[in-house]
Amino acid sequence: MNVAAPALAAVSSSCAALQDPTVQYFDLRLPNMDVPSTSLTTYICKAFEANLQLPNFLDACRFTIKMKSFIPLPKDQEYHAVAFEPLIANKAVMHHMILFSCSGMADEMFEKHQCGSNDNHCRTWMAQWSMGIEGVICSHNQAGVRFGGSESSQLLLQIHWNNEALKSGLTDNSGMRVYFTSKLRPYNLGHVQVGQQDVEIPPGALRHAVSGGCSGQCTQQLLPHPIHLTSAHIHMHYLGAGGWLEVVHSNGTTTQVLFDDSYDYNHPVLHVLDNIVTVLPGDYLRLTCLFSSKDGAQKRTQTIYFGEGSDGEMCYAFISYFPLVHGFDQCLQFDVHEVNCAPNGYSEYLYCISRGQQDIISHFLPAAQEACNNHETDISCDLKSTCVQAMNSLYDHKCMQGRIGHYFKTRILPSLPSWKQTAVVQDHYIKQCTQSTIM
């Protein structure tokens, strides 16, 4: 038995696909849950099985999946999701929501849980919603998001709560409505997140620019063929003041994808492209975000860095495109370093946040701490001293250089007691010695 079509009178007329009599829908929702009052940012995940035989007794115009993890769809059939509708129960805490598809998730993923590393197994992005985006999110009429079958038999809902006031007693059971059809469209729709993760906004800034995205090296490596962009929106937080997304083609020309002269965190603009924009392998998808921290509610007296909560900032664009390229769902930069690709087989950023960071914290930092013990105020300027040599080994590490090094020194290492000691030693060394060799 097939899932019956929903009542057409209850859906938005802005998405023509919903008038198609073959389009049906189901709802994915969290069970009603308490929102933590001790944490500003919480990520909740829950998996659902999307490939079970429809029981004969289920015959209704829609299916709402809450406590159970089963979506009643015919077994072994593939579908195209053609639209998505956010079901927001508590606007005060909902920050964003992403729906992924995959297969082979562990049983515990089907219970509600705080998102963790195991959830990274499910990475094919079906839909994304950010706070302020209203109504049905409709796919391009030539493409749909494929799910079902053996490769995408499971869905994972990720919800980000932002309890800015740390209020107690808040609950939420938000989710997403998925409109789908078994009548497959010509192309599979894909989604990719591009942007810059090295975000540092000084106090008193006015339209401070931060740029980054998916470099030509990465598109050359990750795209086996051209893709066509159909919609996009920028995601920043409270200091966002405007921005634009453009394609810098390998021949030197530029095509603008979207332009936001102003930006409102509570009401971001979803740009549906009347004329699709083609990206070729070797083109640079470059996002520029503008931030202000000078006046009014945006005024800040301290530097604001990248952060997942609304007390930090982001510079991302979420883009829909076709045809789908498997694995091309995120393409970011940190400063000039590639986050999601490795030109020539090596990524300095990926090395530094994994092996390099481990080496600094477990070896170089403890060695400097031990060698410079009791040297906080009595620093030898002898370049051959054990303390100076250990400090130079730490500061000369390639992951302590440039913007990656700045990130380590300002965001990662300050939480470690051993770093506080070496920072004091460094400060005294620079003050006491005529020529500092510690950078």
Side-chain angles (χ1 to χ4, degrees):
M1 180 181 295
N2 293 325
V3 183
L8 297 179
V11 300
S12 169
S13 60
S14 62
C15 185
L18 303 190
Q19 307 305 321
D20 184 338
T22 71
V23 172
Q24 308 153 68
Y25 70 88
F26 56 82
D27 294 346
L28 302 176
R29 302 192 79 129
L30 293 176
N32 200 43
M33 296 178 61
D34 294 327
V35 177
S37 60
T38 56
S39 176
L40 174 68
T41 296
T42 304
Y43 283 83
I44 296 296
C45 287
K46 178 171 169 44
F48 300 84
E49 187 71 44
N51 200 14
L52 293 181
Q53 181 65 44
L54 178 67
N56 290 333
F57 63 87
L58 283 177
D59 184 7
C61 68
R62 66 181 181 182
F63 299 92
T64 299
I65 313 304
K66 295 181 179 178
M67 296 298 290
K68 293 184 179 180
S69 300
F70 305 132
I71 303 169
L73 298 176
K75 186 177 177 63
D76 296 331
Q77 185 170 343
E78 293 187 333
Y79 305 90
H80 266 165
V82 295
F84 302 87
E85 184 176 359
L87 305 173
I88 307 304
N90 190 338
K91 290 185 177 181
V93 298
M94 282 296 294
H95 178 272
H96 78 257
M97 176 168 47
I98 304 178
L99 183 64
F100 300 97
S101 69
C102 61
S103 60
M105 278 190 287
D107 290 344
E108 57 267 24
M109 298 295 100
F110 293 86
E111 300 294 330
K112 62 183 187 295
H113 59 279
Q114 290 210 18
C115 305
S117 58
N118 288 339
D119 296 291
N120 291 333
H121 168 77
C122 202
R123 296 303 304 168
T124 300
W125 168 20
M126 292 185 66
Q128 189 270 351
W129 170 87
S130 297
M131 68 173 294
I133 294 179
E134 302 287 347
V136 177
I137 303 168
C138 194
S139 300
H140 190 275
N141 60 16
Q142 292 296 302
V145 181
R146 187 184 291 262
F147 72 101
S150 59
E151 294 184 1
S152 302
S153 61
Q154 297 166 341
L155 307 184
L156 178 71
L157 182 66
Q158 179 199 90
I159 285 182
H160 176 189
W161 289 328
N162 186 57
N163 189 355
E164 187 174 2
L166 298 179
K167 290 184 178 180
S168 59
L170 297 178
T171 62
D172 184 55
N173 70 323
S174 294
M176 190 172 289
R177 177 167 292 175
V178 180
Y179 294 91
F180 70 100
T181 178
S182 58
K183 186 174 69 175
L184 300 184
R185 292 178 170 185
Y187 299 101
N188 292 327
L189 190 72
H191 305 279
V192 62
Q193 174 191 15
V194 304
Q196 176 61 257
Q197 290 192 300
D198 182 18
V199 177
E200 182 174 344
I201 305 159
L206 187 62
R207 296 180 77 80
H208 173 80
V210 173
S211 294
C214 193
S215 72
Q217 287 181 308
C218 283
T219 62
Q220 187 71 55
Q221 179 179 333
L222 299 175
L223 295 182
H225 51 68
I227 59 172
H228 309 290
L229 312 187
T230 63
S231 66
H233 72 276
I234 297 177
H235 180 73
M236 298 179 282
H237 291 164
Y238 289 119
L239 301 189
W244 59 89
L245 176 67
E246 58 193 346
V247 180
V248 182
H249 301 287
S250 58
N251 63 6
T253 62
T254 300
T255 301
Q256 188 172 92
V257 179
L258 68 84
F259 179 82
D260 288 335
D261 184 56
S262 61
Y263 181 84
D264 183 347
Y265 172 58
N266 295 306
H267 300 284
V269 178
L270 175 60
H271 296 262
V272 177
L273 306 181
D274 293 331
N275 298 310
I276 61 176
V277 177
T278 298
V279 178
L280 302 176
D283 290 347
Y284 181 13
L285 263 170
R286 183 171 64 191
L287 173 66
T288 299
C289 299
L290 302 178
F291 299 96
S292 292
S293 59
K294 183 177 181 180
D295 300 311
Q298 293 183 316
K299 184 175 181 179
R300 299 292 186 271
T301 57
Q302 60 185 10
T303 301
I304 302 299
Y305 296 96
F306 173 89
E308 293 183 338
S310 60
D311 55 339
E313 271 301 339
M314 289 183 172
C315 179
Y316 289 147
F318 294 97
I319 304 168
S320 298
Y321 70 90
F322 70 85
L324 169 71
V325 175
H326 290 288
F328 187 64
D329 49 34
Q330 187 181 68
C331 192
L332 308 172
Q333 289 179 307
F334 182 94
D335 187 35
V336 297
H337 303 283
E338 314 300 347
V339 174
N340 301 101
C341 74
N344 303 317
Y346 173 77
S347 167
E348 186 163 315
Y349 174 81
L350 295 178
Y351 166 77
C352 285
I353 64 169
S354 54
R355 177 66 181 274
Q357 179 175 326
Q358 181 181 0
D359 287 347
I360 290 172
I361 293 175
S362 63
H363 175 66
F364 289 94
L365 191 53
Q369 181 186 27
E370 181 179 358
C372 298
N373 190 31
N374 299 322
H375 285 69
E376 286 88 346
T377 58
D378 181 19
I379 309 300
S380 170
C381 295
D382 184 358
L383 298 182
K384 296 182 180 179
S385 74
T386 304
C387 176
V388 171
Q389 289 181 348
M391 291 289 287
N392 281 335
S393 294
L394 170 63
Y395 280 87
D396 286 344
H397 192 287
K398 64 181 177 181
C399 298
M400 295 288 281
Q401 312 302 313
R403 291 299 300 175
I404 294 178
H406 179 72
Y407 170 72
F408 273 43
K409 295 170 192 176
T410 58
R411 307 293 292 159
I412 301 297
L413 299 177
S415 62
L416 304 175
S418 55
W419 170 254
K420 295 177 182 178
Q421 180 186 12
T422 58
V424 171
V425 173
Q426 178 208 21
D427 183 59
H428 281 287
Y429 183 90
I430 293 173
K431 290 179 179 178
Q432 291 182 20
C433 301
T434 304
Q435 183 178 0
S436 171
T437 59
I438 302 178
M439 302 303 292

